Each structure stands twice: as structure tokens, then as C-alpha cells.
Amino acid sequence: MTSLSRLRNFTTLILSATLLYGFFMLTPAAESETGTAASPSSVLKSRVLFVLMCQSQAASFHKQRCDLLRRHIEDQAKELKVPAGAETPDISIALAEDLVDPGIETFFYLPILAGNHTQLTQSDFVFFCHEETRMNLVGLLNQLAQYNSSKPLFIGSPLRDEGYYIVHHFSQSRHLYPFVYCGFAMSNGLITSLVEHFQVNKAKLGEYEFRIDPAYELASLISIELHLANLTALSAMCPRSVNLTDSCITWTTEMFRLPQCFPNSSAVSAVLNRTLFAVKTHQANFATVLSVVRDTWAKEAPNIIYYADVEDREIPTVACGVPNTERGHCDKLNRILHLLAESNNVSAQATNNADGSDKSNSSSSALFDWFVICDDDTLLSPSRLARLLACHSLSQPADSPLVVGEKYGYLSADGWHGYPYPTGGSGFALNRAALRRLTVEANGAGGIVVTRCGSAESPDDMSLGVWLRSLSVPIVHSHLLHQAKPVEYSPVLLRAQLPISFHKHLDLDPRQAYRDWLLDAGTDAASKLDVGSADDHKRDEL
């Protein structure tokens, strides 16, 4: 046994030395961008600021995940081995919200860069990471040390569109943009240039009308609008869940793939049973678009209501009392919200049980914890959505309003003006406290009812965003909900996750798309979307 133990120790020592040697080697991407390599020891002189892009103020679940990320970095920083006589690395950590004025939304990155915070400009590198980003700190620091921080450098795991898509404003530039969830870095040279740009042009932030994909739009600003830097592709930043035996210096966790907060499926089933799905439809779609819903994901939803312009008892549909409009549907959404509130007694207060479920002061069996609203051409997975909502049910106080969706922004590039909103096509979920706030408590200053539509054709999801902002209801973004079709997203991005929803039936077979992307069949739901080996990942990047 002693000999075997010594052999294992010797093997571990050799493996560790090999890994460290690999981290010190200059990568081709770094060499082509910087020209000459920095000394490996320069990592000890680097000042690296880690900016945590967390939704910590919006939901207890995300705050907990953000705390884990901070400890993940801090614990490794404490274990860094510094040679005798060398300087200790200058590593600092900041929440994104701490780098801007109070109340400013940081989701789209630009307000952070426009804030001219000294922590940014005094760092050699700023590394942005998200709640589910994980890293080998030694490997990351040594990799960054290969670059000349005085040059404008934008470093990350590359994604590229295969076509011209609405989610990226139909842009024809086809430039690289980072997979932000495994982190990306900006050099001091780039940060300084951006800060200087915003000092002169900060007012122009208001000219950015829609904010859809923060990663793509940030890359567009840097490479297309300002011509500061193209993304330096670093394959060691891996857009997948891996362990430390791989060659990745950053990666994502399994919680990024699809959150799992309960040890067994029965608790998730309990959340699904207390979730009500509300589908917006109209008579002309009953035999076509709505039939897809009934043939696919509706079979997974134990509680579902179809709200339409007319009643049809065979489906059945519920007439919401609002005529169908060609666009917008604001009046219909508003009416559906009030119908849900009236039929489910949302004025009843609730408190959390130990398992995250609610107990109410009302004995009505019609009470639900979550209300999911979507279009009739939305494809989704109720079971996966329940797994996501279960994490919030477990950690979020029952009387704390919350909306979970795919977050977009309108005139909100500066983080202060405009408003975010949950996209309607991808579907969004309101907890009972949020529905109560939007209906029972929807009075603003002077008793003015906040939830009013400019017209029947006002965009329903954007109107909802205005109401939520007025009522101080937070919107928590989920990267698993998708406003567009599968083909309109990077395959690398989709392969790293288990998607919850997609939207639109145009130019695809919706039933097949549901089977390919959203139907969990067999014993391993993740098998059809397996991210593959490191070699597969490298092939995807080429």
C-alpha cells in the first residue's frame, strides 16, 4: 500500500507540473495578437479585476450562486504559490453593481464601462464572469500574462452567427463575439479607450434603441462601431461544463446547463403541479398553430388554459373578452393577468414551507405559485421550466415579487433610462406575489392605475416592462429561454445548455423542433444535447 501511495503521489506531481508548464506556454492566439510573449513571472505583477455579473439583487437564488462564485475565486487566490522574493498578484473582486451609481441596471455591460470607475482603469486586465463561470485561477492568470495589457485586447471564447438573425438586428458583419458565461477579458488598453469614448459620448448611449444580446452588442461596439479590437479567440476558455482534468482554464457549471436545486424529481413535479400555463391564442390559429401546442408540450403541462377571442368548448378555450388584434396584444395580456388573479385569489398572502412551496391563508385549491404566459407559437419544456422555477421557489420569499424571462431592454443602454422587459415569445413566469402586484396592488402615485395600455395594439411584453419598472418588480434573466428559433442561435451556445423554450413556427417543422430540442425522452434527458469531448469543442470553433 505504501508503494502504491508513493506512486500515486508521484503521478499527481508529474501531472501538476505538466499542467503548469502548459499554462506558461504561449498560445498561438496570444502570439498572433501581441507579437512577443511576456515572461511567465509577469503574472505576479498583474493587476486583475474580476467583475461578477450577478443578478444578486433580483433573486435570492442568484445571490446564493454569486456568493459561491466569489468564494471560488477567493479560495484559489489564497492558495496561490508565490516564489520567494516575488510580488503577490494583485487580485480584486467587485460586483458589477458596485461599479455604477445606485439603481443603474448593469445587465448590458455598457453602464459599467461608461462609469469611469478607477478600479477598471487601474487594472491590467478586467475579467467579466457570470454566476456559473468557473476557472483555474493559476491557468487564467498565466494565460493573461502572455498578452501585452497596454494594447486594446478583447479575449474570450468565440461564437459566430451562421446567418443574419433578428436576435442580432439582422447584422451582416458576422463578427466574433464572446461566450460570456465562461468569462471574457479586456485589457487596460481597451478599457481605457472605452472609458475615454464614453466620457465624450456618454449621452449617445440613449441612441441604442433595443438591447437584446449583451455579448453580441458589446462586441459590435468594440469591433464594428469603434474599431478598437476584434475578439481574440482563446480555446482554453471552454463554453461547456468540464472538470479540472481538461485543458480548460474557464468553463461553466452544470447549473448553467439547467439549474437543479432539488435532489429528486418529486419536488420538481410538485412545482410543476403548482404552475399554471396561460397560452394566448385566437380563433384563426385553433386548427393550425394551437394544434401544435396541444400535440407537444401541453401534454407535459398538468395545468393549462388557452385564452382566446372566442370560446371553444372542444379545445377548450376561455374567451378573455378582448378582440384579436394584428399586433401588440396589450389589452389581451392585461385582461389575462386580471383573469388569472381573480380565479386564483392572488390577494391571499403566503409564506414558504421548508421545501420552498407555499402555504396560504386561503384554503382554495386553485392557488398556484407560478403563472407562465406565452404565445401559441411558443415551443417549451414545462418540466425544464419547473426545474428553473423550483430554484426560485426554494430560495425566494413567497411575498417577494419576481418575474423570470428572457430580458430585453428598450432605450436602456445607459442602465438608467428606458426599461427592461421579458420577451413575450419566449414565455415568462410570474410568481404569485408579482401577479398580485400587477393586479391587486397596481396603483401608482395619486392612485393612478399603472397597468394601462396606450392602445389595444401596444406591444404586450414592452408594456409589461413599463409596468414592472413602475411597480419595482424585478425581472430575472434566463439564458435558457429563447425569443427566436433554434437555427438563429450559435450551435455552440445551444449545445452548452438544455433549452427551455423557442419561438415561431416559420420555416421549420415545429413538432420536429420540439422533439429535437425540448422533449426529454429516455433515461438521460441531456444525452441528445451532449456537449461532447474537447476535440468536438475545438471542431465547433473552427
Side-chain angles (χ1 to χ4, degrees):
M1 291 297 293
T2 302
S3 299
L4 180 59
S5 176
R6 288 176 178 172
L7 178 60
R8 287 174 176 168
N9 291 338
F10 178 75
T11 303
T12 301
L13 179 62
I14 293 299
L15 177 60
S16 300
T18 302
L19 289 173
L20 286 173
Y21 175 79
F23 290 140
F24 288 145
M25 295 298 291
L26 179 64
T27 64
E31 186 174 9
S32 64
E33 186 70 26
T34 61
T36 58
S39 166
S41 63
S42 64
V43 67
L44 303 176
K45 303 174 185 177
S46 295
R47 297 161 297 175
V48 180
L49 170 64
F50 290 87
V51 177
L52 312 189
M53 300 293 297
C54 299
Q55 304 185 75
S56 57
Q57 298 304 311
S60 299
F61 166 64
H62 290 285
K63 185 178 186 305
Q64 294 167 6
R65 299 301 301 173
C66 190
D67 290 342
L68 286 176
L69 171 60
R70 179 185 286 273
R71 291 201 297 271
H72 171 73
I73 299 172
E74 289 177 339
D75 289 348
Q76 292 187 74
K78 293 175 183 176
E79 298 298 322
L80 285 176
K81 304 299 183 183
V82 181
E87 298 180 28
T88 302
D90 186 354
I91 297 172
S92 55
I93 302 173
L95 288 174
E97 62 209 41
D98 293 336
L99 301 176
V100 298
D101 293 334
I104 288 184
E105 168 73 65
T106 61
F107 181 69
F108 296 105
Y109 296 109
L110 299 188
I112 304 171
L113 300 168
N116 190 22
H117 201 286
T118 55
Q119 272 191 279
L120 296 173
T121 55
Q122 292 179 359
S123 301
D124 293 315
F125 289 96
V126 177
F127 190 81
F128 292 84
C129 47
H130 289 253
E131 296 158 20
E132 304 308 327
T133 306
R134 294 297 182 266
M135 67 192 69
N136 181 313
L137 185 59
V138 171
L140 177 60
L141 293 177
N142 281 294
Q143 185 67 65
L144 292 179
Q146 312 305 320
Y147 299 90
N148 184 344
S149 64
S150 65
K151 292 187 176 183
L153 299 174
F154 186 32
I155 306 166
S157 177
L159 300 177
R160 191 196 296 273
D161 288 348
E162 296 185 346
Y164 311 127
Y165 305 132
I166 188 173
V167 294
H168 291 159
H169 316 280
F170 295 112
S171 171
Q172 298 188 26
S173 63
R174 304 286 293 275
H175 60 275
L176 293 178
Y177 57 100
F179 183 100
V180 295
Y181 296 101
C182 63
F184 65 93
M186 290 185 179
S187 66
N188 180 270
L190 178 58
I191 290 288
T192 301
S193 296
L194 287 170
V195 168
E196 290 174 352
H197 167 76
F198 284 120
Q199 284 179 332
V200 177
N201 302 283
K202 189 171 183 178
K204 290 187 177 181
L205 279 174
E207 297 177 1
Y208 294 94
E209 189 173 23
F210 284 97
R211 301 282 88 187
I212 295 177
D213 182 345
Y216 184 88
E217 290 151 4
L218 178 63
S220 296
L221 173 69
I222 293 171
S223 63
I224 305 301
E225 296 180 43
L226 303 182
H227 304 287
L228 292 174
N230 294 319
L231 183 73
T232 297
L234 186 57
S235 61
M237 292 181 178
C238 302
R240 59 193 178 94
S241 300
V242 297
N243 56 47
L244 290 176
T245 62
D246 284 323
S247 59
C248 300
I249 57 174
T250 67
W251 59 91
T252 61
T253 71
E254 282 297 326
M255 291 288 279
F256 170 83
R257 189 169 172 79
L258 180 65
Q260 177 65 62
C261 298
F262 288 94
N264 56 66
S265 60
S266 60
V268 177
S269 296
V271 172
L272 183 58
N273 288 332
R274 294 182 65 81
T275 299
L276 178 59
F277 292 83
V279 180
K280 296 179 297 178
T281 188
H282 62 99
Q283 187 176 19
N285 282 1
F286 288 175
T288 54
V289 178
L290 188 61
S291 68
V292 174
V293 176
R294 300 175 67 198
D295 290 345
T296 56
W297 66 264
K299 296 177 180 179
E300 286 189 67
N303 311 293
I304 188 168
I305 300 177
Y306 304 106
Y307 288 101
D309 47 342
V310 298
E311 180 183 15
D312 186 321
R313 295 186 179 181
E314 291 187 8
I315 292 176
T317 65
V318 173
C320 62
V322 176
N324 188 58
T325 56
E326 288 297 320
R327 63 186 65 190
H329 313 300
C330 182
D331 278 349
K332 178 181 281 188
L333 173 63
N334 201 356
R335 181 59 181 153
I336 290 173
L337 290 173
H338 283 82
L339 288 174
L340 290 172
E342 292 165 7
S343 62
N344 289 279
N345 191 20
V346 298
S347 60
Q349 299 294 319
T351 56
N352 284 101
N353 288 316
D355 64 354
S357 61
D358 294 340
K359 51 186 178 183
S360 173
N361 61 9
S362 169
S363 60
S364 171
S365 61
L367 287 175
F368 290 94
D369 299 329
W370 292 95
F371 303 86
V372 178
I373 300 178
C374 63
D375 296 341
D376 55 6
D377 57 351
T378 301
L379 299 171
L380 60 82
S381 168
S383 58
R384 294 180 190 174
L385 180 58
R387 276 181 59 176
L388 173 64
L389 299 181
C391 293
H392 292 291
S393 293
L394 179 66
S395 59
Q396 191 79 5
D399 60 352
S400 179
L402 188 70
V403 173
V404 179
E406 183 183 22
K407 185 188 289 188
Y408 280 13
Y410 179 68
L411 298 176
S412 59
D414 63 0
W416 185 256
H417 300 91
Y419 53 89
Y421 62 95
T423 58
S426 64
F428 56 86
L430 308 89
N431 67 359
R432 189 164 61 241
L435 184 59
R436 181 169 61 245
R437 182 75 59 88
L438 283 163
T439 54
V440 179
E441 305 169 359
N443 290 335
I448 298 175
V449 178
V450 172
T451 54
R452 288 181 174 176
C453 296
S455 71
E457 292 192 344
S458 296
D460 52 354
D461 50 4
M462 296 180 69
S463 298
L464 177 61
V466 174
W467 303 340
L468 294 175
R469 180 153 190 165
S470 299
L471 296 167
S472 300
V473 177
I475 304 169
V476 172
H477 173 73
S478 174
H479 62 280
L480 302 172
L481 298 166
H482 302 88
Q483 171 71 9
K485 299 173 293 185
V487 70
E488 298 188 84
Y489 298 91
S490 165
V492 176
L493 174 67
L494 293 185
R495 194 178 289 115
Q497 58 181 242
L498 282 174
I500 288 176
S501 71
F502 294 103
H503 180 226
K504 293 291 188 186
H505 294 179
L506 185 65
D507 298 326
L508 86 166
D509 178 346
R511 291 174 176 83
Q512 187 62 47
Y514 169 76
R515 290 190 292 269
D516 289 343
W517 293 99
L518 299 168
L519 179 61
D520 292 336
T523 57
D524 182 9
S527 61
K528 69 165 68 73
L529 290 177
D530 187 12
V531 295
S533 66
D535 290 340
D536 294 332
H537 166 67
K538 291 176 182 177
R539 284 195 296 271
D540 288 333
E541 288 184 338
L542 298 177

